[in-house]
Amino acid sequence: MLDFYGTTLANGFMLGTAQYPSPAILADAFRRSQASVATVSLRRESGQDRAGQDFWQMIRALDVHILPNTAGCHSVKEAVTTAHMAREVFDTKWIKLEVIGEEDTLQPDVFGLVEAARILTEDGFQVFPYTTEDLVVADRLLHAGCEVLMPWGAPIGSGLGLNNLFGLRAMRAHFPDVPLVIDAGLGLPSQAAQAMELGFDAVLLNTAVAKAGDPAAMAEAFAIAIRAGQLAATADPMEPRDMAAPSTPVIGKAFLL
């Protein structure tokens, strides 16, 4: 069981709600994956009386935890304002905090991220920061009040997988008691399994499922891979070695003279 800010999740699958071919396919993807968290952008809602209400009712019907995000925000002020609006709309203290600093890679602006995390934490938010695998930035985010870290695997929507295995292993080793979520860049279920094998607590993804030929089937495949990786991590896997070792014992083997 996974604990995020005192909330226990049934599994480590966080799934986005954007870019699906239809609402029915989105709902089917959540049903087959049994994802425990749905990430939602405020831009799908509107301040007008009826705008966005059908989508919000559908998300409520999924019966999962809601994690609003500040996707597309490029400044501290924009991210903080969006977070406050999201808290009102979605009625949750959770916020996936994004402060984008570079257009081509959508890499986080880590300086703005730390500042925004501090402001929001002091205002009662429970912040899930989309960050890099930089250990110094991670430490600053924790000191700003974050209790979860969400390093990217690769640029958002790229499907490249885990680009910096050394950095991600180092983060897991350096913060053994902090919930860690791989956020962004996963394209295949095998990459999600690899993240869980590294000891991460959850993965968050959207494009790999929503843009698949069969989103619901892909969502289920990711769910199976996440579970497999989690089981592997807790099963005390063997260490890799440079030399071969026979898997069949040689003691008692018959020798021909």
Side-chain angles (χ1 to χ4, degrees):
M1 306 294 277
L2 305 173
D3 184 274
F4 293 90
Y5 289 105
T7 296
T8 299
L9 302 181
N11 60 62
F13 196 0
M14 302 180 178
L15 185 58
T17 56
Q19 306 184 70
Y20 289 83
S22 72
I25 291 175
L26 185 158
D28 196 27
F30 272 86
R31 180 184 62 79
R32 289 180 61 174
S33 70
Q34 297 185 331
S36 57
V37 174
T39 62
V40 183
S41 172
L42 183 67
R43 286 164 174 76
R44 289 185 170 273
E45 291 293 324
S46 171
Q48 309 213 355
D49 291 340
R50 297 184 57 83
Q53 292 307 305
D54 289 343
F55 174 80
W56 182 218
Q57 290 302 320
M58 179 187 64
I59 296 301
R60 284 182 180 275
L62 297 175
D63 193 27
V64 297
H65 295 280
I66 304 299
L67 177 60
N69 63 47
T70 63
C73 292
H74 290 75
S75 70
V76 172
K77 182 177 180 180
E78 185 181 11
V80 169
T81 300
T82 301
H84 279 88
M85 295 170 65
R87 182 165 62 179
E88 294 298 318
V89 171
F90 300 111
D91 190 27
T92 178
K93 295 180 180 179
W94 281 14
I95 190 71
K96 177 191 168 186
L97 180 61
E98 296 183 26
V99 183
I100 301 301
E102 205 282 321
E103 284 293 340
D104 290 334
T105 63
L106 300 181
Q107 180 171 328
D109 170 1
V110 295
F111 306 101
L113 181 68
V114 172
E115 182 181 352
R118 177 187 57 78
I119 293 170
L120 291 173
T121 298
E122 290 176 353
D123 199 36
F125 283 87
Q126 296 171 337
V127 179
F128 293 67
Y130 165 62
T131 183
T132 67
E133 65 276 20
D134 187 292
L135 298 182
V136 177
V137 174
D139 193 58
R140 297 287 176 85
L141 287 167
L142 294 175
H143 278 89
C146 297
E147 297 180 14
V148 177
L149 297 172
M150 302 181 73
W152 64 347
I156 294 171
S158 67
L160 293 173
L162 306 180
N163 276 356
N164 185 356
L165 289 175
F166 171 81
L168 294 172
R169 286 195 186 99
M171 178 174 276
R172 180 70 285 176
H174 200 75
F175 303 107
D177 300 320
V178 176
L180 299 181
V181 182
I182 292 292
D183 177 14
L186 299 183
L188 292 170
S190 57
Q191 297 164 353
Q194 185 181 28
M196 302 304 285
E197 288 168 2
L198 290 177
F200 281 76
D201 299 285
V203 300
L204 191 158
L205 57 99
N206 189 161
T207 308
V209 167
K211 290 298 186 181
D214 186 340
M218 185 62 77
E220 184 176 355
F222 267 101
I224 294 169
I226 290 166
R227 178 61 175 155
Q230 189 176 43
L231 285 173
T234 58
D236 191 18
M238 64 173 284
E239 292 291 331
R241 52 196 175 203
D242 294 328
M243 299 294 291
S247 57
T248 302
V250 295
I251 296 176
K253 180 180 177 181
F255 290 91
L256 297 178
L257 301 178

